[in-house]
Amino acid sequence: MEEKFIAAWMANREKAARMGVRFRPMDAADAMKTAHRSLSGHRESDGFGILADKGYLELSLEALAIDKRFTGLFSDEEANNALTRLLSNGYRF
């Protein structure tokens, strides 16, 4: 499941990059560590604010973290943080 999540996240990052969203470089080997760190902290994930401004939050780490395909990879706290961030920025399901 981790491999599918990482592939989906990398694909979303590539789509967002084509729309002009800039991300810090990330190695696929560190993706899960990065995701857990981002979702357990108080800061939004890399590019989240720009994705929100452009109306593409579905490409964010937070959206993937609450995707039913990947919820087993994250703690309740991480998923709740992701959901709170999304809802606070007008995400529509």
Side-chain angles (χ1 to χ4, degrees):
M1 187 178 341
E2 284 185 9
E3 292 86 15
K4 289 181 181 182
F5 170 78
I6 293 167
W9 192 17
M10 293 298 189
N12 282 359
R13 286 171 58 98
E14 288 175 19
K15 287 178 195 173
R18 286 193 297 272
M19 294 184 311
V21 179
R22 298 175 66 105
F23 295 101
R24 287 174 282 212
M26 180 181 62
D27 184 28
D30 294 326
M32 289 309 300
K33 255 196 283 189
T34 300
H36 288 296
R37 188 173 50 246
S38 293
L39 294 171
S40 64
H42 297 290
R43 291 181 45 212
E44 297 164 342
S45 66
D46 194 21
F48 184 90
I50 297 167
L51 290 171
D53 290 344
K54 291 181 178 264
Y56 289 104
L57 281 174
E58 70 274 9
L59 298 177
S60 69
L61 165 63
E62 285 80 357
L64 280 178
I66 63 165
D67 185 309
K68 65 182 177 178
R69 298 173 295 167
F70 306 121
T71 55
L73 295 173
F74 301 100
S75 69
D76 289 346
E77 180 183 349
E78 291 167 333
N80 286 334
N81 285 342
L83 182 59
T84 298
R85 292 174 194 169
L86 289 165
L87 293 175
S88 296
N89 283 276
Y91 187 68
R92 305 265 189 254
F93 293 88

